[in-house]
Amino acid sequence: MNRPPLLASALLALASLSAPAADGADQNPIDADRAFGYLEQLCDLGPRPSGSDAMARQQDLLRGHFGPLADDVVSQGFLAANPLGGPKVRITNLIVRFNPAAEKRLMVCAHYDTRPLPDRDPNPRARRSGRFIGANDGASGTALLMELAHHHDAFAGPLGVDLVLFDGEELVYNDRRDPYFLGSTGFAQQYKQGKHPGGEYQYAVLLDMVGDADLQLYYEVNSWRWKDTRPLVRSLWETAARLGVDEFKPRLKHLVRDDHTKLHSIGKIPACDIIDFDYPHWHTEADVPRNCSGESLAKVGWVVLEWLRLEQAKAAEPAGE
């Protein structure tokens, strides 16, 4: 894969980032239609809970997608208890690696499983036996990682970049009984034990529910409260302001338990959550593509891409400058 020389491309990126964006969305390199097409493709598989046939088909689709675009795609698997009893469930994280030799790394991640049932649907029957497609809660972050992989020029620099897909985020039938975040917990444990494919993460950015057609992204309280993560939050929201992406609101609103909490508490990785928790279709049968937007995906993707360029540029600056 051809990439520009690391130092030169990173310094050029830093120069471009110092000036405000012109013409707003006209400068956005993210393909909104393609990203939304990925979201629809994932939803066409149907519900994709951990251990299901649809999850296996999704894994094949994602390996086929990322394989030609990345330097390496690593599967990280382990077994988890089945909340319904019976055989254990295979949990499989996918780690899509760029510049795998780099010791210092950045992570952009999402969960790609869907909740087994639409447990917050207004229809009691749907809560017990309905179909949860997870267009926003599951497919949106995954689709955006699929789109970001086309823009590996933003990954060029001294830092390695991993796009990580977590399985088992919500293999949950009963909130009081079943544990959340199985994939990120296993990932963080293996990272802590040195069983990770390699490298040390400087930051991790979690993308969850980023496809809402009425997008509003506030500081997540944990992400802001943790002192090691606060500079990351500032950098992302300042990047959004510079680009004119005003869907990023620089104030606190929601306290969210999500995969980033396990990366931080177990793996000691500074990790923040970009999440739109004002989504009326959360965990209902109405979480379908028509309530999501390619434009929302593109705006979030643009901010993440420009943040990656900035981090690469800063890492490439000669010592003392």
Side-chain angles (χ1 to χ4, degrees):
M1 188 180 300
N2 291 325
R3 298 191 179 94
L6 298 184
L7 180 59
S9 65
L11 291 176
L12 283 171
L14 184 58
S16 69
L17 288 166
S18 64
D23 299 325
D26 292 341
Q27 303 297 312
N28 190 346
I30 297 291
D31 188 325
D33 291 337
R34 183 169 60 187
F36 192 75
Y38 291 144
L39 183 149
E40 292 181 312
Q41 186 179 18
L42 296 169
C43 290
D44 285 346
L45 296 170
R48 305 169 301 285
S50 302
S52 66
D53 289 342
M55 169 56 86
R57 293 196 300 274
Q58 180 179 214
Q59 289 163 353
D60 289 342
L61 183 158
L62 292 170
R63 290 189 186 101
H65 174 81
F66 288 114
L69 298 172
D71 293 320
D72 197 12
V73 180
V74 178
S75 297
Q76 180 188 63
F78 45 88
L79 296 175
N82 189 331
L84 300 180
K88 290 188 173 182
V89 177
R90 184 74 175 176
I91 302 295
T92 303
N93 299 326
L94 298 178
I95 308 170
V96 181
R97 290 168 64 79
F98 297 83
N99 189 11
E103 177 60 25
K104 293 184 178 181
R105 310 192 65 77
L106 302 170
M107 182 199 309
V108 185
C109 52
H111 79 90
Y112 73 121
D113 63 308
T114 56
R115 196 174 181 91
L117 292 168
D119 64 296
R120 292 182 178 269
D121 198 277
N123 182 343
R125 181 175 297 178
R127 293 198 294 268
R128 295 190 299 270
S129 59
R131 281 168 52 87
F132 180 64
I133 298 297
N136 196 24
D137 192 2
S140 69
T142 306
L144 187 47
L145 293 188
M146 294 171 74
E147 171 62 23
L148 288 175
H150 290 285
H151 302 270
H152 46 74
D153 60 305
F155 308 159
L159 303 176
V161 176
D162 290 345
L163 307 180
V164 181
L165 290 156
F166 295 124
D167 194 359
E169 192 262 359
E170 49 186 350
L171 182 59
V172 173
Y173 292 85
N174 184 320
D175 275 324
R176 288 179 287 185
R177 179 195 67 196
D178 306 332
Y180 284 81
F181 319 126
L182 298 175
S184 56
T185 297
F187 179 96
Q189 289 171 340
Q190 293 197 17
Y191 176 73
K192 181 179 178 180
Q193 296 164 6
K195 297 178 181 178
H196 180 263
E200 177 184 356
Y201 291 114
Q202 311 300 293
Y203 287 124
V205 177
L206 175 64
L207 307 175
D208 195 357
M209 299 204 298
V210 292
D212 186 358
D214 180 22
L215 189 67
Q216 299 177 66
L217 298 164
Y218 296 87
Y219 294 162
E220 189 276 318
V221 173
N222 286 311
S223 306
W224 182 257
R225 184 180 62 192
W226 299 325
K227 290 183 179 179
D228 58 343
T229 302
R230 189 174 297 177
L232 169 60
V233 176
R234 268 204 197 98
S235 181
L236 285 161
W237 266 255
E238 287 173 359
T239 297
R242 182 178 49 77
L243 297 176
V245 181
D246 57 12
E247 285 81 1
F248 281 69
K249 313 289 186 183
R251 54 187 182 274
L252 293 168
K253 188 164 188 180
H254 299 293
L255 174 69
V256 181
R257 291 175 59 243
D258 210 341
D259 285 313
H260 68 308
T261 63
K262 298 303 180 182
L263 298 178
H264 190 266
S265 65
I266 300 172
K268 309 304 179 186
I269 302 167
C272 83
D273 196 2
I274 299 179
I275 184 168
D276 182 350
F277 213 62
D278 287 322
Y279 183 61
H281 313 294
W282 181 55
H283 288 186
T284 74
E285 288 193 318
D287 187 4
V288 293
R290 70 172 178 269
N291 290 316
C292 297
S293 161
E295 288 71 23
S296 294
L297 295 175
K299 288 177 179 179
V300 177
W302 191 19
V303 171
V304 172
L305 271 187
E306 293 304 307
W307 171 78
L308 286 169
R309 294 184 200 276
L310 177 60
E311 290 300 310
Q312 292 286 16
K314 290 192 299 187
E317 286 184 290
E321 290 193 12

